[in-house]
Amino acid sequence: MAKKFLYFVAISIVLILVAAIAFRVWGEEIARAALVPTAEFEAQAPLEPNAYQDPALWYSRPGIGVNDPARWQPAYANDRGLLPTPADQRPPQHAVFFIHPTSYLSRENWNAPIGDEEAERIARIYVRGMASPFNAASEIWAPRYRQATMGSFLTDEPEGQQAIDAAYADVLEAYRFFIESVDAETPIVLAGHSQGSLHLLRLLREEVKGSPVADRLVAAYVIGWPISVEHDVPELGFAACATPQQTGCILSWSSFAEPADPSALMETYAKSIGFDGQPRGDSRILCTNPLTGMFGGEAAADRNLGTLVPDDSMSNGELVPDAVPARCDDRGLLLIGDPPELGSYVLPGNNYHVYDIPLFWANTQADVARRVEAKVGGGASAN
């Protein structure tokens, strides 16, 4: 029996090595074959007018109560206490609009159908882990939307962009309903991750810039999507956050453990076209250090107030302080030192994309509170 087990282990190791080599040689081809839909793109019918009045189209919004995933509060490890922050220490009233990342991986459609069981299950996990740092807000809103499937980002065919545009149309409708629903004097925080950040960037350029909401913007947390300091930021209408108290500004980071191999990201980024119409090339990526709230720089792990370490299900976890440092390198990537043990969803190259926000859960919460206080108190503004 033991001998058979050893043979099994040996064969498994060989298969894993062969798969790893194949991915390195044919990685893009494998990913495209596995994830890019082969079906024709079907235009998405516009949502009904005022569709987002329906609470069923929101993962999070006022009134959902205990089933709202964004209102989840993790415990600190080592008996260091529980969140939420006591009411008398909460920041002033503010509202958050959060756009979740890609949770639809199917090749059957270019856009996720509303109600797809697996995509919704994953999305709720993402909202629970990524939107929860923003939940000291008096209101937090996170819409369902017919997101572009993962394969849309792996093809140059027009269907990919059509799917992304269709997803943005839903996000835009949700955002407009959010703005209509929130008191006109309430400060606004906008946040997203990955595909959510891509849509948020478009919202900033096309909807927020130059609007009355711009004056109410506390900050935009555009995380997990590379933004060129040279070719993108000037077109957004909002500066990069340079200080921890600055408001009306943008924060962004993309996390890699060391040794980092960001070659796939950097190659795609270099070929892409910036918002100014010029190739992004080797221009620096916007990197906010989430441990300091400042553009660039580095900070030791003892500045980390709490990393959200998930359990195997990714549905629960605990906050571990002093776990991860942060350093913005010359390219604009956020390096986090030795690979932390956070789970099995680390991408090739020590890319901690899935964990961008959980790595700095408690610091993100503190950053929002600090900027809201500055906004309400008349502190520094980027505009």
Side-chain angles (χ1 to χ4, degrees), residues 44-54 57-58 61 97 99 114 141-146 164-181 199 202-203 206-207:
Q44 301 297 303
L47 293 172
E48 294 292 326
N50 297 319
Y52 279 99
Q53 286 183 348
D54 185 354
L57 280 182
W58 298 89
R61 58 164 287 171
F97 183 77
I99 314 168
I114 295 290
W141 300 67
R144 286 177 165 88
Y145 65 101
R146 292 172 292 184
I164 293 168
D165 290 342
Y168 174 74
D170 283 4
V171 170
L172 178 59
E173 288 303 311
Y175 168 79
R176 287 175 173 170
F177 182 79
F178 159 75
I179 291 299
E180 290 173 1
S181 302
H199 299 314
R202 187 168 175 183
L203 270 181
E206 298 181 4
E207 192 75 7

Side-chain angles (χ1 to χ4, degrees), residues 12-359:
S12 297
I13 291 172
V14 169
L15 290 174
I16 291 170
L17 288 173
V18 169
I21 292 169
F23 187 85
R24 283 184 175 274
V25 177
W26 298 293
E28 281 191 25
E29 289 79 0
I30 290 173
R32 286 173 181 162
L35 295 171
V36 176
T38 55
E40 290 187 12
F41 175 79
E42 294 185 10
Q44 301 297 303
L47 293 172
E48 294 292 326
N50 297 319
Y52 279 99
Q53 286 183 348
D54 185 354
L57 280 182
W58 298 89
Y59 291 110
S60 300
R61 58 164 287 171
I64 290 180
V66 296
N67 294 321
D68 188 332
R71 291 296 180 183
W72 174 66
Q73 298 288 352
Y76 268 103
N78 304 319
D79 298 322
R80 291 187 61 160
L82 294 172
L83 297 178
T85 305
D88 61 351
Q89 297 178 26
R90 283 177 168 265
Q93 287 196 347
H94 61 286
V96 173
F97 183 77
F98 178 87
I99 314 168
H100 73 80
T102 307
S103 62
Y104 186 64
L105 309 179
S106 174
R107 299 175 66 217
E108 293 182 5
N109 301 285
W110 285 94
N111 290 90
I114 295 290
D116 182 89
E117 185 174 334
E118 181 63 7
E120 300 244 336
R121 182 188 69 83
I122 297 171
R124 289 184 67 85
I125 291 173
Y126 284 153
V127 172
R128 188 175 173 89
M130 297 184 188
S132 53
F134 299 92
N135 68 18
S138 46
E139 300 181 34
I140 182 165
W141 300 67
R144 286 177 165 88
Y145 65 101
R146 292 172 292 184
Q147 62 187 264
T149 189
M150 180 69 75
S152 301
F153 300 91
L154 302 175
T155 179
D156 294 327
E157 296 301 316
E159 291 87 347
Q161 187 59 51
Q162 289 171 333
I164 293 168
D165 290 342
Y168 174 74
D170 283 4
V171 170
L172 178 59
E173 288 303 311
Y175 168 79
R176 287 175 173 170
F177 182 79
F178 159 75
I179 291 299
E180 290 173 1
S181 302
V182 174
D183 186 275
E185 302 300 318
T186 301
I188 299 296
V189 171
L190 302 176
H193 183 262
S194 198
Q195 178 174 170
S197 286
L198 176 63
H199 299 314
L200 177 50
L201 287 168
R202 187 168 175 183
L203 270 181
L204 289 170
R205 296 197 321 275
E206 298 181 4
E207 192 75 7
V208 183
K209 181 172 66 174
S211 76
V213 176
D215 293 332
R216 296 161 56 193
L217 183 67
V218 174
Y221 293 78
V222 192
I223 301 167
W225 194 271
I227 303 169
S228 171
V229 174
E230 178 182 354
H231 299 289
D232 295 334
V233 173
E235 304 299 318
L236 292 172
F238 303 92
C241 294
T243 70
Q245 287 80 26
Q246 188 174 346
T247 64
C249 55
I250 299 169
L251 301 89
S252 183
W253 63 85
S254 297
S255 311
F256 283 79
E258 300 177 81
D261 179 9
S263 54
L265 169 66
M266 299 306 294
E267 288 171 12
T268 301
Y269 172 78
K271 296 174 184 176
S272 65
I273 302 300
F275 299 146
D276 64 355
Q278 301 300 314
R280 294 186 173 101
D282 61 358
S283 63
R284 187 175 183 181
I285 295 170
L286 172 59
C287 180
T288 309
N289 190 315
L291 298 185
T292 66
M294 300 175 67
F295 177 82
E298 62 182 298
D302 62 7
R303 298 284 298 276
N304 195 319
L305 302 175
T307 293
L308 178 58
V309 179
D311 63 11
D312 291 340
S313 72
M314 295 287 284
S315 296
N316 285 292
E318 60 182 10
L319 291 171
V320 179
D322 309 331
V324 177
R327 173 173 64 89
C328 292
D329 73 2
D330 292 340
R331 297 165 291 191
L333 300 177
L334 187 71
L335 302 182
I336 59 171
D338 294 334
E341 291 293 333
L342 293 185
S344 56
Y345 297 97
V346 179
L347 302 179
N350 269 336
N351 186 343
Y352 274 69
H353 178 72
V354 174
Y355 305 99
D356 279 325
I357 297 176
L359 282 163

